[in-house]
Structures are given as structure tokens and as C-alpha cells.
Amino acid sequence: MIFETIESKGLAHFSYLVGSEGEAFVIDPRRDVQIYLDLAMEHGLKITHIFETHRNEDYVVGSMELSALTGATIHISGHEDLGYVYGEKISDGEVFQIGELSLKALHTPGHTLGHLCYALYEKDQEAPYLVFTGDTLFMGDLGRTDFYGEENLDKMTGLLYDSVVNKLLPLGDHVLLFPAHGAGSACGESMDDRPFSTLGYERLTNEHLQAASKEAFIESFARMRIKPRYFERMEELNVKGAPFIGDTASVPAIKADDLKDDQVLLDVRSKEAFMGGHIEGSYFLSPANLSTFLGTLFDEKTRFVLVTDEPDPAFLLEIRSQMLRIGFDCLDGYLEGGVNSLLEAEKSPLSLPTIRGEALRELAGEFLVLDIRDNEPVPDWLEAKTVRIPLQMLYKRYAELDPERDIYVLCASGNRSTTAASFLLNHGYRPAVILGGIHTI
Amino acid sequence: MIFETIESKGLAHFSYLVGSEGEAFVIDPRRDVQIYLDLAMEHGLKITHIFETHRNEDYVVGSMELSALTGATIHISGHEDLGYVYGEKISDGEVFQIGELSLKALHTPGHTLGHLCYALYEKDQEAPYLVFTGDTLFMGDLGRTDFYGEENLDKMTGLLYDSVVNKLLPLGDHVLLFPAHGAGSACGESMDDRPFSTLGYERLTNEHLQAASKEAFIESFARMRIKPRYFERMEELNVKGAPFIGDTASVPAIKADDLKDDQVLLDVRSKEAFMGGHIEGSYFLSPANLSTFLGTLFDEKTRFVLVTDEPDPAFLLEIRSQMLRIGFDCLDGYLEGGVNSLLEAEKSPLSLPTIRGEALRELAGEFLVLDIRDNEPVPDWLEAKTVRIPLQMLYKRYAELDPERDIYVLCASGNRSTTAASFLLNHGYRPAVILGGIHTI
Amino acid sequence: MIFETIESKGLAHFSYLVGSEGEAFVIDPRRDVQIYLDLAMEHGLKITHIFETHRNEDYVVGSMELSALTGATIHISGHEDLGYVYGEKISDGEVFQIGELSLKALHTPGHTLGHLCYALYEKDQEAPYLVFTGDTLFMGDLGRTDFYGEENLDKMTGLLYDSVVNKLLPLGDHVLLFPAHGAGSACGESMDDRPFSTLGYERLTNEHLQAASKEAFIESFARMRIKPRYFERMEELNVKGAPFIGDTASVPAIKADDLKDDQVLLDVRSKEAFMGGHIEGSYFLSPANLSTFLGTLFDEKTRFVLVTDEPDPAFLLEIRSQMLRIGFDCLDGYLEGGVNSLLEAEKSPLSLPTIRGEALRELAGEFLVLDIRDNEPVPDWLEAKTVRIPLQMLYKRYAELDPERDIYVLCASGNRSTTAASFLLNHGYRPAVILGGIHTI
Amino acid sequence: MIFETIESKGLAHFSYLVGSEGEAFVIDPRRDVQIYLDLAMEHGLKITHIFETHRNEDYVVGSMELSALTGATIHISGHEDLGYVYGEKISDGEVFQIGELSLKALHTPGHTLGHLCYALYEKDQEAPYLVFTGDTLFMGDLGRTDFYGEENLDKMTGLLYDSVVNKLLPLGDHVLLFPAHGAGSACGESMDDRPFSTLGYERLTNEHLQAASKEAFIESFARMRIKPRYFERMEELNVKGAPFIGDTASVPAIKADDLKDDQVLLDVRSKEAFMGGHIEGSYFLSPANLSTFLGTLFDEKTRFVLVTDEPDPAFLLEIRSQMLRIGFDCLDGYLEGGVNSLLEAEKSPLSLPTIRGEALRELAGEFLVLDIRDNEPVPDWLEAKTVRIPLQMLYKRYAELDPERDIYVLCASGNRSTTAASFLLNHGYRPAVILGGIHTI
């Protein structure tokens, strides 16, 4: 058996390619599909089937493009009518043969109504070998249940409980577990960073599975969460099908003189480099979470030009892929000469003010701390001076801030607060970043 | 200055990417253009100009596809009207600025009527730095002059003499020389395998430039040569533009059971492996000269399936590229399991008979030696038994052979004779290969 | 948690690097240790601990060299006194902290007396997460128990039963399992080709764990097996420590003229290529099982020169590594020009006779079939004509064969029989290979 | 002919590997010699000869290590007695055969007394093909002539004139030229950034070759230049032989807690990142010129730990190589967590003050500009406030600066001034960097 996990960094998304006897299937392919073609070639396989666990909301699925390139059939859930224009609808209990392997669909509603998990069986074995759990059961976490609105929250959460506790876990403690996301994804909150897991290990250690009853579970788990701005567009693209991207890829150099007014400079260097010197009007985004926040702060029609240190091709193409995966097909190139390219036009880089935590403690005056984390507490002494706007909501709510006040932006490590500070700089504020984040306060 | 030579193996074709101050031009791009995008990214360049030296006859040019991907302008010769549907026509003496470099077009007829060379100048220098010579002046050789028919042979050869001796050489001994082909190309016969050359070094050492006069040159150089079957289609594609290929590339596994009747098995292993065991009905082609002979033995609409040892992806994609470069867009995949894939269907591989040269000498009977080399002599004692059909012509002339006679196929090393033997096997003959070729006779 | 499986092809050996919080440990490192340094760098780790499961007999362990390069401590079993000159002895139940992980040693005799497994625990968890099982429990198989001789066979087999059934399985069905070998290893006979497994999945599906009782298990499992010739040298090297190899690696070209009398030509092309043409005196070995059979047919002091097709550096270095891993530090280079390099010296390649299975059936006369497989049956009609000598034993027993008889060599697919045929050719016999092996008879 | 140019970044050093008929020679190998072994394998060559042009002063030569690994003979100049402990001494006019090529030694004193150039001839050709010019003739420049002291300056400069004008140029305009250094090297001042050159092109365009006479040349070229601190040690190592480095390479993670007092933190991020936040006590060095300035600011016995952004292995190993090439065998690892690794110890990063050029113009007060460029002018209005100490001399002369004054450090682009500022910070000064260097003043 060939088994390959394909991780899409930035989204913490996992897709899978599994092969046997020259044939292969793919679970939840991402939009840049060359990786599946490459792996199929490496292992001498022909991709014959594509399976989706559910209509994804956090990335653009690549089923149609991969199918067009390989002739593979696409299989989607028949348990919920979402207006799909592609794919064959399949139901609970259906079984597919790929080489010597059998794959059985399991209807597991909760995250979505139609959600399917897939259990894999080896030849002639009754015991299931592994299960692809999509956004149902993660390592150390479960899929969110708030996509159908507050009015359906308890119902969906109850469905999830049944799916996990009464349908997945009974497959057996020994069954290996392969979810659609890992630590860092916006689809869960407290995923563990483990390379593998089993149903039994989750049963024993997953905090949410320790609830005494279904009611207790709903009580503790049902909760509305932040939904990033771009999720709705993903939901739409993923039933209609996204434009094909092909793979003739380039991120060309753009000279400073050729920059256009409608191009946004996206600075993807380190936060320290942005602090030390950045181009006026540019935005900072860390490559580590670019997919998540780009789709939150910008519209997908925005045209972007990157600001980098050395323009390493692999890095530029990775950024391009991260953008394509969330439907941002709008990277024009990178700025030749980087942050110093405007020197000849007499525009030196600007620095971004910072403050160390201990200095903040001693600071007098009417300053304001903007906490752009999702939900975490600040020390008591800061409470009164703190305004909370999660970074995901900043594009909507920044006007709540008083532009006359000194604003110190706070997050865990400084990455997100540098993004927020660059956003505020470009919207008329004078922010400073709290160096090292909450650790130093 | 950035200077990159891109060699297309199998065709011994050179294209060039040259950059300065963030801009770049490409000379004679090949059809699989991702390499130019990759190099431009690596060096931080934007490709702004594409120059063709002449309408090529031995490969599909990639100007239109590269232009579509980069926005670069295409420049072709205005000195001959070939019906081009793309490109801006330029004339002798026109100069282009790319970054700090200047490129000057030089009309140099001979190989074709419209042929252009391009001389490159560094900033503020009067002395030319290097010259791109296309199919005019090679290392140790000159471009062939027989494409306009026997009736124009002397005229074209005279034009070539003037272009080289009276136009290129006067640029100066110090000028570096970058031709469109190197040793192994079908566009010349005796090219030297040198990494670089200069006009002066060619003046001193190139055999053809030692002629005492123009007349002596015509006398010795003017000659009709073999024109591979696929050249005409190239000439057509290269003025109309070939279909775009993109670069989402895969060569999938194909199971023996799924082979179709109209698919030709192309065995690209070593000749020894083909001799030791091959599938009935398959053809042998060495990857080292695949582009040249595939376009000679087959029609471009033929569908192919490769037979390989281990299916290494890089190797499979390279074979695919070599086929695309001559307009063969018809590789369906490779045979899973290779030469032994039909064992379960009770079809063992066949071996191909061979004979050592010394054994041939002692052989009695009415055998026949088929010499498939272009032009070289055989030992006297073999003369009477030898039939000469160059491999390039075999598809047209094989019926001249007597199927009742034992046929021993001869070439220099055994590669071409194994190709010829596989062709004959599939056309009702019983050939054997002379091991080690002419060396052992 | 960082988890990397390092597979050594040719031996089907797995070693593991596991990291947490900047620290890492390695289980059973192989001799060419650069891969561990590379992985540690890639993940930002410092290797601090090395653990051996047992004194290995089938490859050279790299503990000492890895320790010298990283400063990591080496831990070996204290339950058996083998004369180790390195390492700290540890005992059942000892626990080590690496980052946030705990690793607990479990004494599991059976394969060897001192064998240790290692259970891994995540931070603050009582349930074990995974277990490294060394040569105790494989996927679908168990470790062999015959290394202490026939007189101890039942005792060792009983110990293995207790270790697996009473010590490993009780860790829980949910526990992931990472053994030292996979399908293809000489350390087991019927391993499954699965990417992962769990104790529960083995409990349910591993054939050997279905025995009704310890007695029944001993009855069915206890058996003496073939021990490759080189195992004894490995056992010696692995307590004394092997010479360090460093990693400045090269396999230089050697001209045919420079070959020396004491150099053995090792042909590592495909079996078909060897059949089609090979150099007199050369031996065929498939890269797929080179480690296993090289150590069987040759002495470790033999000097080798490879015969290949194109001399791809990655391939040459991989062959070199496979040799080093079994203590063969004696690869002088590869033959420039390959199988045709002796043509100028008037030595054409030789072909190796083959016969198809169906032809064998019709063959008259006093021929002999040499079955070099380990243990499998032949059809009844062949029984009387068949001599069985496993390839592993051929070096000792070939003289049993009658050099006057026609010998047809039989194996499963033809790889091993081509090796055997080349061996016999070099020892005065005239063998032919049965094409496609047992499948076509 | 195989021809490979090996560029060592950071030193702008070129070495060459040239092969023919399975044999190869190397000109001036660098210390990390794996690249030559790799190239030889890739092209199927055995390295048989190593040639040195002169006793190098700017890097550690790898002749002995390469010879030990390949058995190649080493050839050094017999025209100057420097106390070499290795190599065969050769003289003007000696010729060596490698495959079908001939290499002729040419005694060309000037840069050193014993300097050799090497002219390469193709088979049966009287005209030289190319010449390796070492540190004699560069593209657009000539080798410095001041290593034998001011008293010998004119004599050495005259020798250089004779070597170039009367010995090299007469080889012919057509001869290709391959020097030991390119643009950016400390061995010349005004090298052009050209990929190739010829003797004729240099004759026509090289500024120094336009001198009307030998006297005029001496007049304009003879000059004492800065000699980096580490050159003397190189000269010593290069006659005695440096310790072998092998190639089992790792740059391990080091935890902040494990840092030792004698380890110097070397920050190799961008200058903007250093400005935005750096660890107290760390030094900034740009990877682009690390070899040059590391050997100037530090002693070779200093132990270093790198501060980077993402610890990319290829980058870390490249830094390690750059250090080894100048005899700094003392890289202990890199700091895990980078610039923020000390946050938990409550040490936030520090920022480095900067000033824009236009702000400087308006600045009042008794400030001081430290110009650390080699030789270039400042605007008149700044003249009085400027102190000139080339960065190469700062380690010796920094005490000339007044620690009470505000110091603004100036260079061309900001890289060198950030290095200087970090040096001054660690020696009791409070410098600021002039952003964008001389461009904005």
C-alpha cells in the first residue's frame, strides 16, 4: 500500500493519496494539484478516484482540475443538497474498490449535514484499518458545529456527538485516524501537534471525548466562533468549481517604476525586518499564517506585489500557492530590489515603533492596548486600557478605535500584531507593536 | 549581466536567456518554456523580448507560449516572407535595449534567406561582446544550405559564405560565439564538442573556413543532405504557431490490460535490455537521439506508451518533453510493470538475435548486411553483401529488402541498428544486430 | 512532535528520529548517518540520545559515528552481555525525557535475549502513544528466534510469545507500532507492506498472533531459517564498532585499461540488460536486494567495480551506501563506458541464454532445474529434475551440481536466478535462466 | 570537453574543473571539495591533476584534501620558494596531457613572483583555446601588486605589465579568459560583472590596458591597498596545508540556555531585521560579504553561534562553508528560536537607531559621521564632520572615535554600516546607521 499525506502549510490542511496495484484515490485534493500527479508518477500509480469529505469552507478544492487531468471520478456526499455542479453523489455504506483496498463511506453529520468519513479496509480483512475523518474528529479536537447558525448550534453539536461516539469510535481502538486538518488550522481550536493517532488514543486523551453524556458534550462544546471573511466565497467556489490554474508558474520581478496604484504591497519578510524598515503603504503578513489572514483583511480581487528579502523562487511560488488555495488569483509579482527599491526615488524605508512589555508597565498617559487575539485574558492592571478586536474582525471594526490615542498592539508573539499595526498605519492610525507579545507583560 | 545557456538534449539545441537590470531577452525559445520562467525568477528578471534567428525546421519554437505567459514581444526576420501569424518583423541593423545591453540584428542569409544573427554590446562599448549565430556558424561547422532545393544550392552556399566571412568574422577575433546547435544535432555534420568559442578561434580552426575562395568553399560545402521526415511539419507549425502545452505534466501508469490497439509501445531502455528481452511489437529508441528518429519513423498522430525499467518521473517527463519539442503531443503513459508486465498473460519477453563482428566474418551463406548509417564506408570484403538505407529513410525504403534473407543490421555503436531491427521485426523481417557496430568488423 | 521514519532500501530497515522542543532521539541508526544530521537541521533539533533495540545482525549500526558527530549518548540493553565497547546499559522500565516526551525501555526477549522495545508517551499522558518494537513484532510477522541455535529454539520462541502477547499487546489496542523492518527484509518472512499499524490491528490480523496457546505458537513458529553469510560479521562489528565512514563520497570512473585482476565487476543493470549483453566474468546483482545477496556471495574484502547504464551519481552513491550498510567498504568505482567499454579491446559483450517456461515443458534430454528460492514447491512434473539450493547457500554448495548437465535456473521473477546464473558462469557452469520464473512453468 | 566553473559566493572566487576522455583537472580548488567530486561523478570523470596558479592569500586552498580523496597529483609554481610542504613544482612552458587536451604553464609574475597562468589547447591545434589567468588578468581589472611591500611595488607592477601585455595578450585576441575572481572580490577593485571574456575584448575594453606605456601603467596602477587581517593566516595555511574538513556537515540547534560566554552571536539576517530587533551583544554580518569581513573583525579561534530567521539547512551549511573557506572552523550551531529566543528570559530584542539622509542634513549639534567605505568621497558640507575608517581597519582603529559623540555610520547601501554599528555597540559606542547610505545624502 502506498500512503502519502500532503500537508498544505498555512492552512494546516491535509489531503491524502492512497495507492494499491497501480491505482490510487485522493481524499480532499487542494487546488494546486501537481503534487498528486507527481506522487502518482513517483509510485507508478494512476489516479482513478477522488473523494470529498464535505463541502469545504476554508480552501478551494481541486477535485475538478485533478479529474480533468487524470480522468478520475469525483465522489461527493449525497446526504445534503448544496447545488454541486460536479461529482457523483454517494451515500452511507457505499464501498469502492481501488486495487486491493476497499473504501467505505460513513455518513457523519455534525460539522456539516452531509459530511462523510471514509473507512479503509485491507484485502480480506474484516477489521477496518484506518479512517479519514475530514472535519469530524481531529487529533485532540473536534470539528466546529456553528456553520448553520446559532439556531442550529445544539442540533449540529448533537449530531457530531453521535457521529463520533456512536459511529466512529465503535470501529475499534486500533483504527488509525487521518483528519483533514492539523494544529494551526482555523477549523479547530486546540488541535494537538501529533504525527499520527488512533481512535483509541483519541477516546482516551481527546478532552472533548471525556464528556459524561451527550448533553454534557453539547453544553461544553456548542459555541459560535469567528468565521473568516473569505469562508463564504470558498463555499460558493466549492460547489460551482473554481477556475483551473494549470501549473506554468512564475512570479516575475516588477520594477518600482512600474508599480500601479491599485497594487497592494504585501511584505512577507520577518516582523523584525518590517519593524526595522518597510515601504510606506505596505502591509505585513507572516507566511506562516498568510492564507488565514489574507482572506480576512482583503478582498479576493485585490492585486498584490510582494516585498521580500532575497526573492527565492521556491518561496515566491509557495506564497503564490497559498494565495491560490484560498481563491486569491491575483499575485502580480514581487518588487525588484525589495524594501530599498525606492531609495533612488528618495523614499527611505520607514521603521515601525515598538515597545517592550516592561516599558509598557511604566508608561504614563492615556494609551490604549489593542488586543487582537481571539479570546485570551490580559493581566488585571491592563484590563481597563485594553480594547479587544480579533485580527479576523479588524477590517470591519477598526473604526471603533480612537485615532487620537497612542495604540499598542498586542498578540502572542508579535506576528499578528505587526499585521494589525500595518493595517492601522494604512488607515490613519499611529500604532506601535508590543515586542514579544503577552510574554513580556 | 546574467547569461544562461539552455540545452535541449536529444536535439542538441541551445537557446539563451540574457538579463540586465531586471530585464531579460530569450533567443530561440523551445516549446517547453517553464525553464525560462524558472531562470527569470532565479535571477530576478522579467522577460521582455524574444528573438528568433530563423524559422526553425528541427523543433517547435516556444515564442508564442512564452510571450503569452510573460507579455514579452516577439521579433522575427523581416527579410523573408514565410507567412508568420505572430511576431514583429525586424531588419538588418535594428538595435534593441535590454537593461544596459544593446542587441543588434544582422541579416545573414545562407541557411535560410531571412536568417538573422544578433550581436550583443555592453554599455558604452563600441566593440561587440558576443554574437548569437543561430544556424549560420557553429563550432567547427556551418549551417546546411540545402533547404531551398538542389537548384538553389550554390546560391545559398554563396550567401552563407558572404554572411560568415564578410559579415560575422569582421566583428573581430575577440567576439564570443553562441550558436543554436552543438555536437549531435541534425543541423550540422561535424560540430565540435566545445563549451565556448570565438570568431577568431573559428577563423583559425573551423575546417570550412580554410577554403581559399568563395568558389572553393561552394565547391566543397554545397551538398544535399538527408532531411528528416518531420522537418516539414516543424516548418509549418513554426509559422502558424503550435498548440500551447502548459506545464501540468504527468506520464501515468497504464496497465497491460488497458493497452489499446492503436497504441505503439516505445521501448526506451538500453539496447542491451531490448536485446535481452522486449515485448513483441514494441519499437526500440534510444533516449539519446529520440527526437531525431521518432520524427522519422512515425507519424505525429501515433499514440505511444513507453516501456522502461524503473519509471523514474524525471526520466519520463524528459522523454515527454523531447516528444513535445518535435510536435509529438501523443504520449499516453508508460506500461506498468515494464517488459515483464505481460508475464501473467503468458507472454514472455522475446530476445533479439545479435552477432559479434568476428562471427560475421566467418559466416557462410547468402546473408545481407543492412548499413543504416548516413554515409560511411564498410570493409571491402563486406561491400558486395551490403545494402545501404540510412535510418532516416528506412520507413520509406524498407521494402527494398528481401524478407527471405538473413539480415544483419550495422551502425556505429548498436543504438541505431537496434532501432532499425525493431522496425524490421514489426514489418515482417527477421533481423539480427551486429554487436558493437562497425568497430568489431 | 517531529516524527521521521528513515527507510534503508535493500535492507527494508527502518530507523526513526523523533523530536520535541529542540531535542531529538534516534532509534537504531544506520551507518551512513548524514540523513539524521540533515533531518535534525531541517527540523531545528539537536540529537541528544541514541537507542538501540538489540545487537543487530543484518546491518552495521551507526550509533558510534552519530554519537561522535552530535555528542548524543548511546543506550544499549543491559539484559545480555555481548561485549559492547560503547554505550550505556539500560534496563527494563527505565524512562528518558526528550523535550516533552518520555521514552520507556521494555525488556522483550525472544529475537535476542537482551532485546528492548521502547514505548513513547506524550506529556502528561498515562496511555502509551506508540512503541518501537525492533525485531520483535513486525507488521504481519514476528522476529525470528533461531539465532541461538536449534537447542534454544523453543525457549527463545516461548520468550518471544511472552514478550509480544503478555508485554506488548497489553499496552493497548490503540498503540501505534514502529518496527525495525518492513516487507522484503531477511529478518522476517511474511511481512505485510503496510505504512502503519497498531497493536490492536496486529492482534486482530497478524497470522502468528492467532495461535490458541503458547504451545501452539511454539509448535507453528519455531523453525531454523537461513542465516546469510555476512550476519556473523555484522554481529562482531556491532559490538566492537565499525570504522567511521564520514561522508565525502565519490564513486569515480575507472577506465577499462585500469581494471585490476583482483577487482570484481558487479553488474547492477536490469536482468534483461545482463541477458542481452554482459562482460565476461561479471556478476549480476539487482539493486533491489543487493545488500542481502552481496553479503552472501562475496567476502567483505572483495574489491568491486560497478557496471551500469548511465552512471547517475545518486544511483552510484545509493549502491555505495547499500554496501557500506553491510560492512562492504570496498567499492572502487564504476566502469567508464559500461558494458561496451571493452569493445575497442575486441571483447564484445556476451549474452546469457534464457528459456521460456513453456519451452522448458517441451524440452527433452537430461537437463536439470536449479531452484534457488528458499522453500517453495515446483510442479510435480518437474520434481524429479529439480535440485534445490537457496541462493544464500549457493557459494557453499554449488559443487553439488553436475557441470556436464544443462542447468536451467529458477526463481520467482528472474532477478535471483540471473544472479545465480552469473555466479555459475564464473564457476565453470553453462546455465540458462528460466524467463519469468515460476509464473510461466 | 567538459568545462565547469565553480563560483564560491562571498569570495567571488572561481575554480574550474575541465574534463576530457574520462580524465579531469581542477584549477585552484577551494577547501570544501565535495563539489569537485560531485561534478566528476556527474560527468563520468576521474580527477587526475590539480593545478594552483599561486599561493592564495584570500581563501584556504583545497588541493591537499582533494588529492587525498582522488589520488590526483598537485602542481605548484617552481618559480618562487615559499616553503610548500606539498605538490610538484613546475616551470614555465611545461605541458600536461589530460585526455585529449594539453595544458601549458606560463610564468606570469606580478601579483606574486611565482604566479602561473595555464593555457589550454585542443587536440592537434596550434592556436591556444583558453587561458586560466589566476590573479593576473581579471575582467575589467588586473591583480593587485602590493603584497611584497611598498618597496617592491613598482617592480611588481612592472612585472605584471610584462606578464599581461607581453606574454598573455600575444596568445591572440580569440583566446578565452578564465580568471580566479569576479566582481565583488577583495583581490581587485573594479572587476566587471561579465560571464565570459577574451584576451581581445580585454585588450580593447580593460581600462588598465589602455596605458600608453609600461611607465604610464606603473604610474597609474601601482598603489598600496588594504590587506584584510586574515590574509596572513591564509598565506601560512596555504603552504602548510589546512586541516581536512571532510563533509559530514551539520549546524545544530543550540538552546538559549546552553549558550556559553565565549560564543559570539553572529546575526546573518537582513540589515532591516537587525535594525528592527537584535539580541544584545550580537554582531551583524551580511551573508553577501561574510567571508571578507568575518576574517577582518574576528580572530579565527572565536566560536560562533548564528542568529537567523527560519533555519534553512542549505543556508546554514552555506554560511558554514563560507567560514571554512577562510579557515574559520568554529561554527558551533545556530540559536534555536532566533532573535526571540531570549524572550522567556525577559530579554526583548533591541532596535538599532537609524536616520534618513535628509534628516541628517537638518541635524544640529556636534555629531560625527563615520565613513567605513574604502576610499570614496562625501559631499562637501559633510567633510568636516566625517571620520574615515575602512571597515577592514575598524577592529584596529575604533578607539580613535570619541564615545561621547553621536556617531552616524555611512556606507554605500547600509550593509557594511550595520556591521560597523554592531561592532561599535559592542565596544561601548552608541552609533546609528544612515539609511540607504550615501544615496540619500
Side-chain angles (χ1 to χ4, degrees), chain C residues 314-372:
Chain C
F315 174 75
L316 294 172
L317 292 173
E318 170 63 21
I319 297 289
R320 176 180 174 270
S321 294
Q322 291 199 13
M323 294 174 69
L324 289 170
R325 283 175 204 146
I326 56 164
F328 278 64
D329 302 5
C330 46
L331 179 59
D332 287 339
Y334 72 93
L335 183 61
E336 196 207 4
V339 74
N340 291 307
S341 63
L342 298 173
L343 276 184
E344 304 211 349
E346 305 249 329
K347 293 192 188 169
S348 306
L350 300 176
S351 62
L352 176 69
T354 57
I355 190 167
R356 303 173 70 175
E358 45 284 46
L360 192 69
R361 263 176 267 156
E362 291 150 21
L363 205 67
E366 285 302 286
F367 69 87
L368 184 153
V369 165
L370 171 63
D371 184 349
I372 49 84

Side-chain angles (χ1 to χ4, degrees), chain D residues 170-229:
Chain D
L171 293 173
D173 273 2
H174 68 276
V175 177
L176 288 137
L177 160 76
F178 293 94
H181 286 286
S185 161
C187 294
E189 287 190 332
S190 58
M191 295 189 208
D192 291 331
D193 184 18
R194 266 199 294 278
F196 321 99
S197 195
T198 57
L199 292 180
Y201 196 68
E202 292 304 317
R203 184 178 60 77
L204 292 164
T205 67
N206 189 313
E207 177 193 359
H208 302 298
L209 299 182
Q210 311 310 314
S213 66
K214 183 170 172 177
E215 290 65 34
F217 174 77
I218 293 174
E219 171 75 21
S220 73
F221 191 80
R223 191 157 51 76
M224 295 306 291
R225 300 160 199 228
I226 294 168
K227 187 172 175 183
R229 177 184 184 184

Side-chain angles (χ1 to χ4, degrees), chain A residues 27-80:
Chain A
I27 303 277
D28 289 336
R30 68 186 191 195
R31 193 182 186 196
D32 41 329
V33 298
Q34 182 71 41
I35 184 85
Y36 309 108
L37 303 179
D38 289 350
L39 288 169
M41 284 191 67
E42 182 184 330
H43 295 298
L45 300 166
K46 180 173 174 57
I47 298 173
T48 55
H49 296 73
I50 298 163
F51 296 95
E52 294 192 10
T53 56
H54 66 295
R55 193 263 319 269
N56 281 282
E57 60 290 315
D58 58 330
Y59 68 95
V60 182
V61 80
S63 302
M64 283 182 75
E65 187 154 353
L66 184 57
S67 173
L69 289 164
T70 60
T73 52
I74 305 173
H75 304 276
I76 58 165
S77 173
H79 291 278
E80 186 177 14

Side-chain angles (χ1 to χ4, degrees), chain B residues 123-201:
Chain B
K123 192 183 180 186
D124 300 332
Q125 296 292 355
E126 278 175 43
Y129 173 53
L130 60 83
V131 61
F132 298 103
T133 56
D135 278 17
T136 298
L137 174 56
F138 300 122
M139 295 179 192
D141 204 350
L142 300 179
R144 58 195 284 184
T145 54
D146 62 335
F147 284 152
Y148 293 74
E150 192 133 23
E151 64 279 21
N152 293 303
L153 187 57
D154 284 2
K155 185 188 111 189
M156 295 304 291
T157 310
L159 285 172
L160 183 70
Y161 183 87
D162 288 335
S163 292
V164 173
V165 174
N166 298 325
K167 195 150 191 175
L168 293 180
L169 293 189
L171 293 172
D173 273 3
H174 68 277
V175 176
L176 288 137
L177 160 75
F178 293 95
H181 286 286
S185 162
C187 294
E189 288 190 329
S190 58
M191 295 190 208
D192 291 330
D193 183 19
R194 268 199 292 277
F196 321 100
S197 194
T198 57
L199 292 180
Y201 195 67

Side-chain angles (χ1 to χ4, degrees), chain D residues 108-296:
Chain D
T108 47
H111 176 69
T112 67
L113 279 174
H115 194 289
L116 295 176
C117 292
Y118 296 95
L120 188 71
Y121 294 77
E122 290 194 298
K123 191 183 179 187
D124 300 332
Q125 297 292 358
E126 277 175 44
Y129 173 53
L130 60 80
V131 61
F132 298 102
T133 56
D135 278 18
T136 299
L137 174 56
F138 301 122
M139 294 179 194
D141 204 350
L142 300 179
R144 58 195 285 183
T145 54
D146 62 334
F147 285 152
Y148 294 73
E150 193 132 23
E151 63 280 22
N152 292 303
L153 188 56
D154 284 2
K155 183 189 113 191
M156 295 304 291
T157 309
L159 284 173
L160 183 70
Y161 183 86
D162 288 334
S163 293
V164 174
V165 173
N166 297 326
K167 195 149 189 177
L168 292 180
L169 293 189
L171 293 173
D173 273 2
H174 68 276
V175 177
L176 288 137
L177 160 76
F178 293 94
H181 286 286
S185 161
C187 294
E189 287 190 332
S190 58
M191 295 189 208
D192 291 331
D193 184 18
R194 266 199 294 278
F196 321 99
S197 195
T198 57
L199 292 180
Y201 196 68
E202 292 304 317
R203 184 178 60 77
L204 292 164
T205 67
N206 189 313
E207 177 193 359
H208 302 298
L209 299 182
Q210 311 310 314
S213 66
K214 183 170 172 177
E215 290 65 34
F217 174 77
I218 293 174
E219 171 75 21
S220 73
F221 191 80
R223 191 157 51 76
M224 295 306 291
R225 300 160 199 228
I226 294 168
K227 187 172 175 183
R229 177 184 184 184
Y230 77 102
F231 273 27
E232 277 179 31
R233 184 149 179 276
M234 294 303 95
E235 292 168 357
E236 202 184 303
L237 276 182
N238 282 339
V239 296
K240 282 196 198 160
F244 286 6
I245 57 170
D247 203 53
T248 306
S250 177
V251 183
I254 294 181
K255 293 187 168 198
D257 288 349
D258 295 335
L259 283 177
K260 304 207 180 67
D261 284 348
D262 67 343
Q263 287 173 323
V264 169
L265 289 172
L266 210 59
D267 195 319
V268 289
R269 300 173 302 148
S270 67
K271 62 181 186 295
E272 287 81 14
F274 190 87
M275 293 167 184
H278 63 270
I279 296 179
E280 196 175 344
S282 64
Y283 288 78
F284 171 77
L285 267 183
S286 167
N289 55 22
L290 185 136
S291 299
T292 307
F293 294 115
L294 187 74
T296 284

Side-chain angles (χ1 to χ4, degrees), chain D residues 7 16 46 154 182 196 337 369 373 393 405:
Chain D
E7 181 179 358
Y16 301 94
K46 180 172 173 60
D154 284 2
F196 321 99
V369 164
R373 298 174 300 160
M393 292 295 115
R405 292 270 282 281

Side-chain angles (χ1 to χ4, degrees), chain C residues 346-407:
Chain C
E346 305 249 329
K347 293 192 188 169
S348 306
L350 300 176
S351 62
L352 176 69
T354 57
I355 190 167
R356 303 173 70 175
E358 45 284 46
L360 192 69
R361 263 176 267 156
E362 291 150 21
L363 205 67
E366 285 302 286
F367 69 87
L368 184 153
V369 165
L370 171 63
D371 184 349
I372 49 84
R373 299 174 300 161
D374 286 358
N375 217 4
E376 296 89 338
V378 292
D380 286 349
W381 67 269
L382 253 191
E383 192 62 46
K385 290 171 181 294
T386 299
V387 172
R388 285 196 180 77
I389 307 179
L391 181 50
Q392 308 261 26
M393 291 296 115
L394 192 62
Y395 77 102
K396 258 193 184 163
R397 293 179 47 196
Y398 68 90
E400 298 173 16
L401 298 168
D402 177 357
E404 303 302 313
R405 292 270 282 281
D406 288 340
I407 300 177

